[in-house]
Amino acid sequence: MSSGLSARDVGIRELMDDPRADERMLARTYGRFGFVNAVVSRPGLLYRRDIRPRAVGAPLRILDIGAGGGDLCRFLAGRLRRDGLEAEITALDTDERAIRWASAHDRGAGVRYRRALSTELVDAGETFDVVLSNHVLHHLDDAELQTVLEDSRRLLAPGGLAAHHDIARGRTAYALFAAATWPLSRNLLADSFIRVDGLLSIRRSHTVAELRAIVPRGWRVRGGVPSRLEVRWEDDRARP
Ligand SMILES: C[S@@+](CC[C@H](N)C(=O)[O-])C[C@H]1O[C@@H](n2cnc3c(N)ncnc32)[C@H](O)[C@@H]1O
């Protein structure tokens, strides 16, 4: 790995996390997350493998931690509705700007948008069948990561699944993202933080080995394509 990518760089901050970030660019960034996720995050696979099988028989309660613009929640809501399956989907984010933008762009999906920390939901005794996140782990320092993992485990109803997805740091991820976004930086991704923040994110991200070394006992970490990782917990109590 090149020297700039050999270790997590938690000292850098993504532009979208700046409270003074340009509002118009931030809004375009939220608006483009759906495109980026469709290309890199494989939401269809998540739906087929982890969501649809659990949604058969009873309404599924889904929590998306760090939902950003809410595109993953709206995608899942659309697929479930198409398949005649019921769900209550909650999009959680600590950033008021994300919640405001996502609420204004629900487009009839029926997602609930909440500004809160996962710890507040734990304290309120809330539970979910599926707890997800996408591209959030790299935002967290080591202590915050432990909190989010512990909270997501405690938020699970019996038989539930927690699955946190992110990019895996590495030269391939960096080179692919840089090459793929360069031609789009003057059109589709113009006036957004997607390209700059995407490259910064990769520098902040973990490798599979790094996560394996720090996740609490019982969590599984696995790599995927393209340069993806998943941190996963399956509750072994019987689902009622
Ligand atoms: C890169 S965005 C990803 C958004 C969305 N999940 C996606 O895949 O497009 C990361 C989001 O996580 C939120 N976030 C960061 N730390 C968080 C935490 N501890 N709890 C909830 N949200 C958090 C940020 O405010 C931001 O909206």
Side-chain angles (χ1 to χ4, degrees):
M1 220 178 275
S2 73
S3 55
L5 291 162
S6 56
R8 264 197 98 193
D9 190 349
V10 282
I12 49 176
R13 180 162 76 168
E14 290 177 46
L15 304 182
M16 65 174 287
D17 288 336
D18 185 339
R20 292 159 305 167
D22 181 278
E23 277 183 30
R24 198 175 57 92
M25 287 185 72
L26 190 61
R28 274 183 71 84
T29 302
Y30 294 137
R32 293 293 181 252
F33 276 152
F35 166 75
V36 175
N37 284 331
V39 176
V40 305
S41 304
R42 309 186 72 188
L45 177 64
L46 169 75
Y47 176 68
R48 289 190 303 278
R49 190 187 67 181
D50 288 330
I51 304 293
R52 187 171 58 195
R54 291 180 164 80
V56 177
L60 197 67
R61 293 164 301 163
I62 302 173
L63 174 70
D64 182 9
I65 298 178
D71 60 279
L72 179 61
C73 295
R74 288 192 298 278
F75 172 85
L76 295 176
R79 285 296 170 96
L80 286 158
R81 191 167 299 162
R82 186 195 68 181
D83 291 344
L85 298 167
E86 283 182 58
E88 277 176 14
I89 306 180
T90 303
L92 197 76
D93 207 290
T94 45
D95 192 329
E96 177 65 37
R97 300 168 302 175
I99 292 301
R100 232 185 0 251
W101 190 93
S103 312
H105 294 82
D106 183 60
R107 302 186 191 104
V111 173
R112 302 167 180 195
Y113 300 93
R114 291 175 64 177
R115 182 196 178 193
L117 282 166
S118 48
T119 308
E120 296 172 55
L121 276 56
V122 172
D123 292 344
E126 299 192 36
T127 57
F128 300 85
D129 302 302
V130 179
V131 175
L132 301 169
S133 79
N134 189 56
H135 294 158
V136 175
L137 300 186
H138 70 264
H139 281 259
L140 311 175
D141 63 27
D142 286 354
E144 290 167 334
L145 174 77
Q146 300 296 330
T147 301
V148 166
L149 295 184
E150 175 64 10
D151 286 349
S152 26
R153 197 180 59 71
R154 294 175 68 189
L155 285 166
L156 286 184
L161 164 74
H164 298 283
H165 298 94
D166 208 344
I167 197 153
R169 192 181 77 252
R171 267 185 298 184
T172 307
Y174 197 88
L176 278 178
F177 191 82
T181 53
W182 171 249
L184 304 177
S185 56
R186 286 163 189 258
N187 40 70
L188 191 69
L189 302 181
D191 296 326
S192 82
F193 299 128
I194 295 282
R195 179 174 156 81
V196 174
D197 274 359
L199 292 170
L200 293 176
S201 306
I202 296 169
R203 304 184 90 92
R204 282 193 63 105
S205 297
H206 304 83
T207 62
V208 169
E210 284 167 353
L211 274 174
R212 279 193 183 134
I214 58 174
V215 294
R217 202 183 171 88
W219 286 86
R220 281 194 299 140
V221 183
R222 60 186 182 193
V225 178
S227 298
R228 303 294 298 167
L229 52 80
E230 180 189 47
V231 184
R232 188 177 176 95
W233 174 284
E234 291 184 56
D235 186 282
D236 55 12
R237 293 168 294 170
R239 203 173 161 197

